[in-house]
Amino acid sequence: MYRFSLLSSVLLMTGLSFSVSAAQVPAGTQLDPRQELVRQLKDEPASLDPIKSFGLTEAQVLRDLFEGLVNQDAHGQAIPGVAIDWKTTDNKTWIFTLRHDARWSNGDSVTASDFVYSWQRLVNPANASSFSWFAALSGIQNAQEIIDGKLPPEKLGVEAIDPYTLKVSLDRPVPYFPSMTTNFSLYPVNKQSVEKYGNDWTRVGNLVGNGAFMLTGRVVNEKIVLKPNPHYWDNKNTVLTKVTFMPINQESHATKRYLAGDLDITESFPKNMYQKLLRELPGQVFTPDQLGTYYYAFNTKRAPTNDVRVRQALSMTIDRNLIAKKVVGTGEKPAWHFTPDVTAGFQPEKSRQETFTQQELDNQAKALLKAAGYGPENPLKISLLYNNLENNQRIAIAISSEWKKKLGVEVKLVNQEWKTYVDNRNTGNFDVVRASWTGDYNEPSSFLSLLTSTHSGNIAKFHNAEYDALLKAASNETDDVTRNRDYNQAEKMIAEQAPIVPIYQYTNGRLIKTWLKGYPITNPEDVAYSHNMYIIKH
């Protein structure tokens, strides 16, 4: 039997010294009397409902308002959250023991039934969750059948044995399942609040969470204000007295606000200021590798990008080295495969494109586009959709210029604010769309599953039965070498079919004030909880 508890989770899962999800203030540290943190968000969150959220923008806030079964430490390793113990004998049936002192912000106990309700709510097709696919990806029994409307939500493989014991049944062995429960889509929500207020349950005054903080103020596109949850089980170790998230989608604007002292931490900074910031802000500029890939997706369901020759030609002419080193230029690596190099358990093979010079790729691209029927007499015309961040615009201009110069492509740049961009992206109203993906868990399938036919995040609408079968086989594989071989074969198929174009691997570039401590800059998934942070005297 595998058993993961406060001590053995460290020994068996991480090999690291034990850490807890709380602010670790060294003895003798002088804390600032004003413990109010101001954090940037890249955009206004689409929703504060865990099942209605889209990704990183919402996740930063949700991690403070809610808590899942498992949290992450500063290195991305699984540590106790609501669950203090988890065990399995076969990696298919997991038993989670919940802490008795977990409380909702209204003082009620958090129980196993809350997780049952919340996970059933996630997969219920009536709720049209943007993250329901994650339950199926996690392997929770019957999740996909419920999402497809073939079974009722009550058939989901999750059961409350008693108020503090949760049983999760998977449809295949998933040895890293506890780590997957750190994803915000699997956070519990308060049934009483949801049913009482309906769609308004996430409003100030209505939202009942179980995280370290509570929602106390919100002005759309201006700020989201949180204060400590007095009922949180580890509230005694919460140092901050107030957290304000400020949605600022312009990197230059965020940096100006940071330099003016209005922000303690940014989500990014203008790449062209990197060297200047290094000189002028010693100890405040951070760019570690991040578990994420910046990419372009093609609309495979309509002309002209439903032609693989067109997709291949456009992919080949993107100079990934130029984009990573010159246009972005803060330590990013060119992405020749979708799965980042930093991904645990992934040994990438060199891609075919990587073996050619850029000139050779350009020549191949011209031949492909000609074969597809495009040239001076009939130029390829496409739209390129991206959300309005300066970095996205610089990359779009650089790549569209390459396409025009090398292939004569006429590109219409479509720059939209986040919500409109998401709507058009999700409805397929684009030829090429800027996208990015950061791992929901640290394993290659977190990236490669995105292109399976049933994945709601498959914005390219790429459907390939052979690819689906390959990912399914990998998910059932217990041999690491064989699984890695399957993953590399999947990467080859992506390169050949080109539903997407990986462009560069992310670094976690941000500015952090020297007085802000506890931000987990070493976490490859950039999972951060305000509960861990504090401000020293300055």
Side-chain angles (χ1 to χ4, degrees), residues 9-189:
S9 63
V10 176
L11 299 176
L12 296 178
M13 295 186 69
T14 72
L16 299 174
S17 59
F18 176 64
S19 59
V20 294
S21 180
Q24 302 292 296
V25 183
T29 299
Q30 285 192 301
L31 293 173
D32 196 88
R34 184 181 174 88
Q35 291 293 320
E36 298 184 1
L37 172 65
V38 184
R39 301 175 58 176
Q40 179 206 355
L41 287 179
K42 285 188 176 180
D43 283 289
E44 174 68 25
S47 174
L48 294 182
D49 184 337
I51 73 165
K52 296 292 185 181
S53 299
F54 287 101
L56 288 178
T57 295
E58 294 83 10
Q60 304 284 33
V61 184
L62 294 176
R63 290 178 187 128
D64 285 353
L65 294 174
F66 301 92
E67 183 173 66
L69 293 170
V70 174
N71 292 328
Q72 288 189 19
D73 69 9
H75 301 283
Q77 305 295 336
I79 58 173
V82 175
I84 57 171
D85 179 276
W86 47 96
K87 59 187 177 181
T88 183
T89 58
D90 57 3
N91 288 328
K92 286 186 67 176
T93 300
W94 289 88
I95 303 297
F96 291 86
T97 301
L98 310 191
R99 60 176 74 250
H100 286 234
D101 54 351
R103 295 283 185 275
W104 294 103
S105 54
N106 64 4
D108 292 345
S109 294
V110 178
T111 67
S113 295
D114 292 319
F115 284 90
V116 173
Y117 165 76
S118 303
W119 292 10
Q120 290 179 352
R121 179 173 178 265
L122 169 67
V123 297
N124 190 334
N127 293 324
S129 171
S130 52
F131 251 79
S132 60
W133 56 267
F134 192 79
L137 181 66
S138 303
I140 303 176
Q141 196 172 74
N142 296 330
Q144 192 59 56
E145 289 82 358
I146 297 168
I147 294 167
D148 294 339
K150 297 176 181 177
L151 288 175
E154 293 75 24
K155 292 294 185 180
L156 189 68
V158 57
E159 177 186 356
I161 302 299
D162 61 47
Y164 301 103
T165 308
L166 183 72
K167 177 183 177 181
V168 183
S169 300
L170 309 182
D171 58 20
R172 63 183 186 276
V174 182
Y176 46 85
F177 178 76
S179 295
M180 298 186 78
T181 67
T182 63
N183 185 270
F184 62 79
S185 65
L186 296 178
Y187 285 169
V189 296

Side-chain angles (χ1 to χ4, degrees), residues 499-528:
I500 65 169
V501 185
I503 298 174
Y504 67 83
Q505 300 177 28
Y506 275 118
T507 54
N508 186 9
R510 62 178 67 247
L511 303 174
I512 305 176
K513 295 292 188 183
T514 54
W515 55 74
L516 174 61
K517 303 300 179 182
Y519 192 91
I521 201 67
T522 52
N523 187 305
E525 296 177 65
D526 194 30
V527 171

Side-chain angles (χ1 to χ4, degrees), residues 205-275:
N206 297 349
L207 194 153
V208 175
N210 71 319
F213 291 85
M214 303 184 301
L215 179 68
T216 58
R218 185 175 188 183
V219 179
V220 174
N221 289 318
E222 184 178 326
K223 63 182 178 180
I224 297 171
V225 182
L226 314 182
K227 291 190 177 179
N229 171 10
H231 298 290
Y232 181 60
W233 64 269
D234 197 33
N235 182 58
K236 65 181 182 298
N237 286 315
T238 300
V239 178
L240 297 174
T241 58
K242 181 179 179 182
V243 178
T244 301
F245 289 93
M246 300 181 67
I248 304 173
N249 60 24
Q250 297 296 318
E251 292 171 331
S252 59
H253 186 202
T255 301
K256 287 179 182 177
R257 297 289 296 270
Y258 178 88
L259 294 173
D262 298 333
L263 292 171
D264 297 302
I265 183 169
T266 70
E267 288 291 288
S268 58
F269 52 80
K271 306 303 182 183
N272 60 357
M273 293 182 66
Y274 180 52
Q275 296 300 328

Side-chain angles (χ1 to χ4, degrees), residues 15 22 36 52 71 78 106 194 229 236 260 265 282 289 292 306 344 388-389 428 431-432 451 474 512 524 536:
E36 298 184 1
K52 296 292 185 181
N71 292 328
N106 64 4
V194 173
N229 171 10
K236 65 181 182 298
I265 183 169
D289 289 339
N306 61 348
N388 55 358
L389 290 176
D431 294 321
V432 187
L451 290 166
I512 305 176
I536 62 173

